[in-house]
Amino acid sequence: MAIASAVAAWLTLKIPSVPLLRNASSNPFSHFSVAWKDKVFGAMLFMWMLLGIGNLSVFHLRIEYMSAAEYGIMASNRDVVICTVAIPSVVRMAMTPLWGYVFDRVNFFAVRAAANVSFVLSIATFFFAETIVALYIASMFFGIALAGARVNWSLWVTKFAPLDQESNYMSIHGFLTGVRGLGAPFMGFYLIQVFSIQDTAAMSIGLILFATTLLSPISRMVKAEQA
């Protein structure tokens, strides 16, 4: 992993780039004003927060579900790695070019909704599966969802940010991703102490579906601004 990281660092240095223009403000949080000045962007951030909390709250529960005795799977370390790392990684690599192709050619809101539905399928099939084979299949859905999520997460601001403002928009998006990335896993592990892991998964699915329904009014906001 260290060698791979070193090679990745070297390859990154070989990518042509130019310095970004320095912002006149010295306040690193000044870009947050964009979130309420740009109503569409602010609405997208809210949608993404709900989606991220729903997804990340059960992200690490996959290992718990496979390995803890109370859930009856009792998977081996090998099967845990295959289901949580190997299959999702291979499927993600295979599907990323397709998601990238679709992202450039299909309406963004439709692509984001499709990625959300992929997460719903991956969660529903995983946490209600009772056999290793079923978990393998669920892990394939998870890989498809991860590929779509990565493409959307990395590039969506290019659809909304004004020219030369992409880095400002992305900094806000990245910050909020870190916030939910820190809190949501703890919330997931807390919830399974109160509810069953299936109920927790169902709540996660509900949150993702609710976030998906917000894409429709946000799309109408975009059309109203362009009219």
Side-chain angles (χ1 to χ4, degrees):
M1 292 179 68
I3 293 172
S5 297
V7 173
W10 178 77
L11 291 172
T12 301
L13 287 174
K14 304 291 286 184
I15 299 174
S17 63
V18 294
L20 294 174
L21 295 176
R22 184 180 296 275
N23 194 300
S25 174
S26 60
N27 182 359
F29 297 99
S30 62
H31 295 159
F32 274 98
S33 61
V34 175
W36 57 82
K37 290 179 181 178
D38 187 331
K39 301 301 182 185
V40 172
F41 180 60
M44 281 297 299
L45 290 176
F46 178 68
M47 184 284 302
W48 222 286
M49 182 62 75
L50 296 178
L51 166 65
I53 291 174
N55 179 35
L56 294 173
S57 61
V58 297
F59 195 93
H60 298 287
L61 294 183
R62 288 173 171 83
I63 298 175
E64 180 77 5
Y65 180 62
M66 292 188 69
S67 58
E70 62 186 287
Y71 303 117
I73 302 294
M74 295 296 291
S76 65
N77 289 341
R78 182 198 63 182
D79 285 329
V80 170
V81 172
I82 290 174
C83 285
T84 61
V85 179
I87 292 177
S89 296
V90 171
V91 174
R92 186 176 78 170
M93 286 189 290
M95 293 297 296
T96 293
L98 177 60
W99 278 106
Y101 179 88
V102 170
F103 183 87
D104 286 335
R105 291 166 177 81
V106 179
N107 178 274
F108 165 76
F109 294 101
V111 176
R112 181 64 262 183
N116 291 5
V117 171
S118 297
F119 272 120
V120 168
L121 288 174
S122 72
I123 295 169
T125 53
F126 197 98
F127 290 99
F128 293 90
E130 297 181 350
T131 66
I132 293 297
V133 173
L135 289 170
Y136 284 172
I137 297 172
S139 298
M140 294 176 64
F141 284 117
F142 188 41
I144 295 171
L146 287 176
R150 175 55 60 182
V151 170
N152 278 274
W153 189 93
S154 302
L155 300 176
W156 78 277
V157 295
T158 63
K159 301 283 189 179
F160 297 89
L163 190 64
D164 296 330
Q165 292 295 310
E166 293 89 350
S167 61
N168 295 345
Y169 277 58
M170 192 64 185
S171 66
I172 303 169
H173 174 49
F175 174 84
L176 293 177
T177 299
V179 170
R180 57 181 172 265
L182 284 172
F186 289 98
M187 184 181 77
F189 278 99
Y190 170 76
L191 288 174
I192 63 173
Q193 306 302 317
V194 181
F195 306 98
S196 71
I197 199 166
Q198 285 79 16
D199 287 342
T200 301
M203 286 186 278
S204 168
I205 289 172
L207 202 55
I208 294 173
L209 289 176
F210 177 65
T212 304
T213 64
L214 296 180
L215 292 171
S216 180
I218 297 174
S219 177
R220 291 195 294 269
M221 290 171 62
V222 173
K223 292 178 180 178
E225 287 188 355
Q226 294 174 344

